[in-house]
Amino acid sequence: MSPFDLFPLGQPAFVQNAVDRAAHLRFHDDQLIALERNPSTRAYVVHRDSLLMKREGDAMRALLTIDEALGFGANPGTIFLGLRDGGALFGMGISPAAAEALAGRDDVAVTELRGIAMQGTIPPDELGAIAMAKSMVSWHQRHGFCANCGTRTGMREAGWKRECPNCKTEHFPRTDPVVISLVAHGDKCLLGRQQRFPPGMYSCLAGFVEAAETIEDAVRREVFEESGIRCADVTYYMTQPWPYPSSLMIGCSARALNEDIVVDRTELEDVRWFSREEARLMLARQHPDGLSGPHPFAIAHHLVGRWLKGTE
C-alpha cells in the first residue's frame, strides 16, 4: 500500500481517532482500577519519539495488555485515554534504562513512530490514539514539578491533571498551536526547507502562534519573517494533531502580495516559488531535479495537494 493510499487527501496522520475519551471516568479511581484489570484492556507504551511494539512472527503489534506492558518494563502509572471497541485504552511510559534493556530481544522492539507510521506498520486509524498517549506521557515526563513552588507534583484524574501537594496548584496538559500555510501567488506556491529536512525536500512555512495572537496574524507574521512575503486572505483548512511533543498544526492558505523573497537563514535554508507542475511532480516524487514535497503523513502535503486541485 502506498503512502497516498494510507493518507488520502484530507486525511494526514493522527487525525483519525475512534477513542471515546469518556472523561467522566477520570474521576472514579475504583472504576479505573477495575478497567486496568479487565482482560479486554489494552495500552500503548511510548518512549520519547518511539513506540514499543510486540513482534508476532513477521507482524508487529502496538496494542499491548497491561501485563505485557509491565513485563516489558513499562512504568506502572497509567494514563486513561478512553474507550474503544468495547475496551479501555491506556497510555504508558517506559524509562530509558528499561527501553535500552529491550534492545536485541526478538519478541519486542522500540521503534521510531514516524517511520513505522509512514510505512503503514501501524494502521492509520490507530495513530490518533497513539498521538494521545505520546503527548500525555511526554507532558508528564516534562512537568513533574510545580511551576509555582517547585514541589514534586502528583498525577490526578487518570493522568489528565497534576496537582501540587504543597501549594495546591493544578497543572493541565498543554497543546501548542502552530500555523502552517500554503501561500500562493497566481499559479505559484511558496515552499521552504529547513536544514534538517531530507535532501531536496520542501514544505509549507510554519511557526508557533504567539501570546494574544490570532491565527490570521500568526500566518502573516511567520510567512513574512521567514520569507519576506506579505500575504492576505488567510483562510482555514483543517488541523492535525502533531505529537512532537504536543502541537496542533493549523492548516491555512493565503494569497501573497509580493514575489521578492528574503530568506531568514536562521530559520530556513531556502525558500522558493514553485509552479503547479513542479509542485505536482514534487508530491509524486518525480521532479527531474530530485526535489520532493512533504510526505502524505503530514498536513503540509494535503495543503499542497488541495491547492493543486484548485480547492483552496
Side-chain angles (χ1 to χ4, degrees):
M1 184 176 289
S2 76
F4 303 99
D5 297 318
L6 289 169
F7 306 108
L9 191 62
Q11 296 183 41
F14 307 122
V15 300
Q16 296 184 54
N17 195 342
V19 174
D20 172 5
R21 296 177 183 246
H24 62 284
L25 293 176
R26 299 173 187 172
F27 307 94
H28 301 284
D29 291 344
D30 55 338
Q31 294 183 48
L32 291 169
I33 291 171
L35 286 173
E36 282 192 20
R37 294 172 177 169
N38 193 303
S40 67
T41 293
R42 296 293 182 267
Y44 291 114
V45 178
V46 295
H47 173 59
R48 296 175 181 163
D49 290 342
S50 296
L51 183 69
L52 194 154
M53 301 187 72
K54 190 176 189 303
R55 286 196 179 97
E56 296 178 328
D58 294 332
M60 301 285 285
R61 173 164 57 87
L63 276 172
L64 308 177
T65 67
I66 298 294
D67 286 343
E68 285 175 330
L70 294 173
F72 289 134
N75 299 327
T78 58
I79 300 162
F80 177 62
L81 303 179
L83 306 173
R84 188 178 68 187
D85 299 330
L89 191 61
F90 288 84
M92 302 175 73
I94 186 169
S95 70
E100 186 177 344
L102 298 175
R105 285 181 54 165
D106 294 330
D107 58 336
V108 66
V110 181
T111 309
E112 199 271 329
L113 173 60
R114 190 186 309 235
I116 54 179
M118 287 180 174
Q119 295 161 16
T121 306
I122 303 170
D125 61 4
E126 283 195 57
L127 294 177
I130 292 170
M132 292 174 66
K134 185 179 181 308
S135 294
M136 292 296 293
V137 168
S138 176
W139 178 73
H140 282 286
Q141 290 173 342
R142 292 180 293 114
H143 293 83
F145 294 87
C146 179
N148 187 52
C149 72
T151 302
R152 181 78 183 183
T153 56
M155 184 186 292
R156 299 289 185 272
E157 294 179 15
W160 289 87
K161 182 175 82 173
R162 295 191 72 89
E163 187 175 81
C164 178
N166 181 50
C167 69
K168 307 305 179 184
T169 299
E170 297 176 327
H171 304 273
F172 297 91
R174 58 176 293 167
T175 296
D176 299 315
V178 179
V179 290
I180 182 164
S181 315
L182 190 286
V183 178
H185 191 276
D187 281 338
K188 299 180 294 186
C189 69
L190 187 72
L191 302 175
R193 61 169 282 106
Q194 297 181 13
Q195 190 173 14
R196 64 178 179 82
F197 284 1
M201 177 188 157
Y202 283 75
S203 187
C204 299
L205 305 189
F208 287 99
V209 179
E210 294 187 347
E213 186 175 43
T214 67
I215 291 171
E216 295 84 355
D217 282 345
V219 169
R220 289 187 283 262
R221 175 184 56 78
E222 282 290 343
V223 171
F224 179 72
E225 288 177 355
E226 295 184 350
S227 68
I229 299 297
R230 295 195 180 277
C231 58
D233 301 333
V234 177
T235 58
Y236 164 78
Y237 170 40
M238 68 176 297
T239 56
Q240 178 190 26
W242 193 249
Y244 295 97
S246 186
S247 296
L248 182 67
M249 306 299 291
I250 305 168
C252 299
S253 62
R255 178 175 58 87
L257 298 175
N258 62 299
E259 292 187 69
D260 297 331
I261 294 172
V262 180
V263 183
D264 178 1
R265 300 290 179 183
T266 63
E267 293 282 339
L268 298 174
E269 185 177 85
D270 189 29
V271 180
R272 290 172 51 182
W273 291 107
F274 292 92
S275 69
R276 285 184 183 272
E277 179 60 14
E278 279 190 292
R280 184 187 69 78
L281 292 171
M282 289 165 69
L283 289 194
R285 305 297 194 269
Q286 296 173 353
H287 194 282
D289 297 332
L291 303 181
S292 63
H295 191 279
F297 175 86
I299 191 174
H301 174 98
H302 301 262
L303 287 167
V304 178
R306 180 170 176 261
W307 174 73
L308 289 172
K309 285 185 172 291
T311 56
E312 78 285 355

